[in-house]
Structures are given as structure tokens and as C-alpha cells.
């Protein structure tokens, strides 16, 4: 196996990672979601933007996402990959938990254009080194960690607007990821921009379309490590639906794909990804 091959991003692109909005939850209300995320690709885009074909990489993840209203203006959010499975087609599968993110979200403005600011420390709870054994050469292995091995902090400013009584909303957000080090290697910080539009049909189905774009800032690092997100840039487009099948309970389906119209793809595997989830939502007590 060629050890120069780099691996899929540990920060699996999900609806929770980009669907930032300007609303906080009412006091003592909550939202809980579990989802299965699926991804596979043999199409690698290197740091220079060149496309390379490699062995097929596969990742499956079981994630937990939750929100709780501490007060009407302050919401706490948890995002935790409970299990990640990583493999190439010519390796065995390795597993582990991912990195835990805990977010605190405060409402700066409410009513027509709610505006929030949030801070989300992300802890290196995932396996920073998780070696998969080659099926072809028993002496060969490759590192497929389930976490990036660093402590980092996301800061987010988000604004939304509801067009009620028309069942439509729009949200915009900008994010800054302050990154630290792994094994004495410093990471560049990241900037991400997100937009989401949602529309409700048939009284029980929400449809959404999202765009997310990420780039790196600061002096180029002395290494380019894809699996830990160093130098990873992209534009991603997503579509999803959520269906309320009974009171408080809904099913969701989300898909994502990469494009180049804001930031070109760099240092990532590119292919559609899919997420199937179920969530429980208490909006008022």
C-alpha cells in the first residue's frame, strides 16, 4: 500500500456541522438527533487541486446531536460522533469515537432577524492514531484516526429570518476555527461560510438546501495532513428533507456533494455523502 495516500477528513460533513442559524431554543426545551453518515470515494483532490484516483476509501459514522435551552437566550449544543468506521478497500476496518464538540449559543438579537454568537470548544476525544492493517502486505499499515488529535475552538455568528406565514426561512453564518497543534505540528486556522434555505410542504415535510464554503488562513504549515484537515478547502452543496411521522418525532435524509464555485477543492476525497437520521423535538413546554 502506498503510504503517501492521504485519508478522508475526520470532520465528516453533516447537516449539524453547517446548518447554523440565528435562533436559540426556549428555556428547558430540547432537540435530540441520531444519524448514520455514509461516505465512499476513490477521487482524491491533492493540495494543488489535482485529481488523483486511489483505492476506495469508506467511512461510516453514528453521530449524536443535541440542543437544550438553558434560558430563552442561551442554548447549549452537543455534537459527538459515537462511532466511526474507517477503511480502504485493501485494509481492514478500524473504529473509534470522534471528537466531542460542546457549543454555547447566545442570542444577541431576537424577533424579525434573530442574531446569535456561539463558541464551541472541540476536544480531542477521538483516536489520534488508529492504524489499519493492509490486506495485501501484513507488514504494512496506514493511520486512519477518528479524531484530529488537537484542541480547537469554533466561533460562529449567525442570522436568520422567517417569512411567516409563508413556511420559509433563510439563515446565514460565518465561522472561525482556531486550531492548535498535533505532535508539535501547528495547524492553520479555518474560515467557513454557510447559507441555508428551508421550505415546508404538506404540513409535515421540511425541505432544505445548503451551501458551505471553507478555506484556510495564516501561514502555510510545514506539513499537509488531510486526515486532520490541514489545508482542506471546499465548497459543498447539500439537499435534505425532514418528515414528522408522529408528534415530536421526525425522520431526516441529507446528501452532500462538493463543487468549486466559491473555494476550489483541495486536500480531500470528493464524492456524495449521505446521512439518515431520526430526531425528537420539544419546542415548547
Amino acid at each position: 500500500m502506498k503510504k503517501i495516500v492521504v485519508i478522508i477528513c475526520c470532520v465528516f460533513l453533516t447537516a449539524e456541522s453547517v446548518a447554523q442559524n440565528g435562533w436559540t431554543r426556549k428555556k428547558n426545551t430540547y432537540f435530540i438527533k441520531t444519524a448514520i453518515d455514509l461516505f465512499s470515494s476513490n477521487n482524491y483532490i491533492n493540495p494543488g487541486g489535482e485529481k488523483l484516483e486511489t483505492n476506495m476509501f469508506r467511512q461510516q459514522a453514528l453521530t449524536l446531536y443535541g440542543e437544550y435551552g438553558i434560558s430563552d437566550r442561551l442554548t447549549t449544543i452537543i455534537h459527538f460522533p459515537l462511532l466511526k468506521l474507517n477503511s480502504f478497500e485493501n485494509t481492514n476496518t478500524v473504529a473509534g469515537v470522534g471528537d466531542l464538540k460542546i457549543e454555547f449559543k447566545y442570542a444577541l438579537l431576537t424577533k424579525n432577524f434573530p442574531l446569535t454568537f456561539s463558541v464551541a470548544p472541540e476536544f480531542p476525544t477521538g483516536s489520534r492514531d488508529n492504524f489499519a492493517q493492509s490486506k495485501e502486505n501484513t507488514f504494512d499499515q496506514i493511520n486512519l484516526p477518528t479524531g484530529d488529535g488537537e484542541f480547537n475552538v469554533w466561533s460562529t455568528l449567525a442570522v436568520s429570518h422567517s417569512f411567516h406565514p409563508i413556511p420559509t426561512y433563510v439563515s446565514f453564518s460565518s465561522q472561525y476555527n482556531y486550531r492548535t497543534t498535533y505532535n508539535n505540528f501547528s495547524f492553520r486556522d479555518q474560515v467557513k461560510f454557510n447559507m441555508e434555505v428551508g421550505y415546508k410542504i404538506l404540513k409535515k415535510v421540511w425541505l432544505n438546501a445548503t451551501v458551505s464554503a471553507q478555506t484556510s488562513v495564516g501561514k502555510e504549515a510545514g506539513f499537509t495532513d488531510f486526515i486532520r484537515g490541514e489545508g482542506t478547502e471546499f465548497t459543498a452543496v447539500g439537499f435534505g428533507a425532514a418528515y414528522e411521522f408522529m408528534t415530536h418525532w421526525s425522520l431526516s435524509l441529507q446528501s452532500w456533494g462538493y463543487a468549486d464555485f466559491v473555494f476550489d477543492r483541495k486536500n480531500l476525497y470528493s464524492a456524495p455523502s449521505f446521512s439518515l437520521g431520526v430526531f425528537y423535538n420539544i419546542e415548547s413546554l
Side-chain angles (χ1 to χ4, degrees):
M1 186 193 309
K2 293 182 179 180
K3 292 189 177 181
I4 60 171
V5 175
V6 288
I7 321 333
I8 184 65
C9 182
C10 281
V11 188
F12 201 104
L13 196 61
T14 63
E16 288 76 40
S17 65
V18 296
Q20 300 287 337
N21 60 67
W23 289 288
T24 52
R25 302 195 67 83
K26 293 182 179 179
K27 183 178 180 179
N28 294 332
T29 65
Y30 56 91
F31 173 99
I32 300 174
K33 178 180 178 180
T34 58
I36 296 174
D37 304 324
L38 304 172
F39 179 86
S40 63
S41 175
N42 64 348
N43 181 23
Y44 172 62
I45 314 298
N46 73 13
E50 299 173 301
K51 297 180 181 180
L52 303 175
E53 186 173 333
T54 73
N55 292 319
M56 183 68 69
F57 176 82
R58 297 183 179 90
Q59 182 181 78
Q60 299 86 41
L62 174 65
T63 61
L64 172 67
Y65 176 89
E67 300 181 354
Y68 178 76
I70 298 174
S71 70
D72 286 353
R73 282 184 173 265
L74 180 62
T75 296
T76 183
I77 301 169
I78 182 174
H79 182 202
F80 187 37
L82 299 172
L83 177 66
K84 283 186 174 182
L85 303 174
N86 294 331
S87 66
F88 276 98
E89 61 183 327
N90 57 349
T91 72
N92 66 330
T93 299
V94 293
V97 301
D99 289 342
L100 171 66
K101 183 191 293 184
I102 300 177
E103 184 172 358
F104 297 93
K105 183 179 183 181
Y106 184 76
L108 301 173
L109 298 175
T110 57
K111 299 184 178 179
N112 290 334
F113 289 91
L115 176 70
T116 59
F117 177 75
S118 67
V119 176
E122 188 170 24
F123 303 92
T125 53
S127 299
R128 62 166 63 188
D129 296 302
N130 205 1
F131 289 92
Q133 197 73 35
S134 171
K135 295 178 181 178
E136 300 170 349
N137 302 305
T138 57
F139 56 86
D140 204 359
Q141 58 184 6
I142 190 166
N143 195 4
L144 299 179
T146 58
D148 58 21
E150 58 136 0
F151 172 79
N152 57 291
V153 181
W154 286 92
S155 299
T156 302
L157 188 66
V159 62
S160 298
H161 179 67
S162 170
F163 294 89
H164 183 78
I166 301 172
T168 304
Y169 69 87
V170 62
S171 296
F172 301 91
S173 67
S174 60
Q175 299 178 275
Y176 191 91
N177 184 17
Y178 171 74
R179 306 193 71 185
T180 56
T181 62
Y182 161 75
N183 281 358
N184 297 320
F185 288 107
S186 296
F187 293 100
R188 282 180 289 175
D189 295 346
Q190 296 169 330
V191 175
K192 185 182 289 187
F193 303 99
N194 312 297
M195 180 181 124
E196 176 174 302
V197 177
Y199 181 73
K200 194 174 187 178
I201 62 173
L202 305 176
K203 296 183 179 180
K204 288 184 177 291
V205 179
W206 275 103
L207 303 178
N208 68 72
T210 54
V211 176
S212 178
Q214 176 180 292
T215 189
S216 301
V217 296
K219 184 179 179 181
E220 187 171 349
F223 76 112
T224 303
D225 193 340
F226 167 76
I227 192 146
R228 304 180 202 280
E230 173 56 38
T232 298
E233 303 187 359
F234 59 80
T235 304
V237 179
F239 299 94
Y243 168 66
E244 186 179 4
F245 62 91
M246 61 185 296
T247 304
H248 304 306
W249 290 92
S250 298
L251 290 172
S252 67
L253 177 64
Q254 193 83 21
S255 65
W256 285 95
Y258 291 104
D260 298 312
F261 57 86
V262 180
F263 301 124
D264 291 343
R265 291 167 289 177
K266 293 181 181 180
N267 207 22
L268 55 76
Y269 273 87
S270 182
S273 62
F274 301 91
S275 178
L276 177 63
V278 58
F279 61 84
Y280 185 76
N281 187 28
I282 296 291
E283 294 181 330
S284 62
L285 296 176

